[in-house]
Amino acid sequence: MTEETPGFDEKPDVPSGASSDDVESKAATPSEEEEEAAAPAGDVQQTAALTAQLDQVRTALSERTGDLQRLQAEYQNYRRRVERDRVTVKEVAAAGLLTELLPVLDDVGRAREHGELVGGFKSVAESLETVVAKLGLQQFGKEGEPFDPTIHEALMHSYAPDVTETTCVAILQPGYRIGERTIRPARVAVAEPQPGATPAAAKEEKADDEESGGTEEV
């Protein structure tokens, strides 16, 4: 049985020729295994930081893209409003001018109906009509078309057996419009079906039925 000698502590084996400083330096230096274990932890932290930065950049890019799209939509709406206002202003200005010329055009129309549109007066009248047409003036109103209170003004009223609805039977003054804007309704004489009278179409249908029924064999 071996007895331990008191007063002596166990010390690590020290190579011959190595000083105590070398031993302490070797103990303080991390081993290769410790360095390899610490390296992946640093890479993970760096990757997480880069991912967070990338997410921030994507969020900022999405916000800027949305702002650009909204700005583009607002600009397109602004352009449409400007164009619509420009057309409206042009139509209003043209309507104001052409309204003053309508009596002259009425005189030209009456002269044409009476065969008085001849010579130099005819050339001037045709030039005037060409100019107002270039400004967008359009004439409307024809005999036989259904009466529409939004574009027709009835000055005379009568009944007729040969109409099935309120119809313009005479154009007293033609109407004029610029685009969709009516600057003067057509002034017309209208005729309505006779009260209690059978419409012409119904009469013809009834006559056809009676004729076909009369030829049936009993």
Side-chain angles (χ1 to χ4, degrees):
M1 183 174 184
T2 305
E3 295 181 357
E4 294 182 357
T5 305
F8 290 92
D9 297 332
E10 293 183 356
K11 295 182 179 180
D13 294 336
V14 179
S16 59
S19 64
S20 60
D21 293 338
D22 294 337
V23 174
E24 292 177 356
S25 175
K26 182 177 181 181
T29 303
S31 63
E32 293 181 358
E33 291 78 2
E34 291 175 346
E35 291 179 352
E36 291 177 356
D43 292 342
V44 170
Q45 293 178 354
Q46 184 177 8
T47 301
L50 292 175
T51 302
Q53 292 179 359
L54 181 59
D55 292 339
Q56 292 178 356
V57 171
R58 287 175 176 172
T59 301
L61 178 61
S62 177
E63 293 176 353
R64 298 300 178 270
T65 301
D67 293 340
L68 180 61
Q69 291 174 345
R70 286 191 293 272
L71 182 62
Q72 186 176 8
E74 291 176 358
Y75 177 68
Q76 293 296 336
N77 291 333
Y78 168 75
R79 287 188 60 185
R80 282 193 289 267
R81 287 196 302 270
V82 170
E83 180 64 20
R84 185 168 56 249
D85 293 343
R86 185 186 68 81
V87 173
T88 301
V89 170
K90 180 180 178 180
E91 288 183 355
V92 170
L97 171 63
L98 295 173
T99 299
E100 300 297 326
L101 293 176
L102 294 185
V104 179
L105 295 175
D106 291 337
D107 292 339
V108 171
R110 283 191 290 268
R112 180 178 285 114
E113 291 176 358
H114 291 86
E116 299 175 356
L117 199 62
V118 294
F121 179 45
K122 179 180 180 181
S123 299
V124 173
E126 291 176 348
S127 298
L128 176 62
E129 291 173 338
T130 301
V131 170
V132 297
K134 288 182 179 179
L135 292 175
L137 186 67
Q138 299 176 354
Q139 186 183 102
F140 65 90
K142 295 180 179 179
E143 294 183 6
E145 63 185 6
F147 175 75
D148 184 351
T150 61
I151 59 173
H152 297 137
E153 181 181 353
L155 301 183
M156 298 177 63
H157 176 270
S158 62
Y159 294 98
D162 57 343
V163 297
T164 58
E165 60 181 339
T166 305
T167 305
C168 300
V169 294
I171 306 300
L172 306 179
Q173 268 188 338
Y176 290 97
R177 66 165 63 98
I178 299 177
E180 299 299 325
R181 182 188 300 272
T182 299
I183 62 176
R184 190 180 76 181
R187 292 164 180 169
V188 300
V190 299
E192 291 183 304
Q194 288 281 0
T198 304
K203 285 183 178 180
E204 293 179 0
E205 183 178 355
K206 183 178 179 181
D208 292 339
D209 292 341
E210 291 177 352
E211 183 178 355
S212 61
T215 58
E216 291 182 357
E217 294 182 359
V218 180

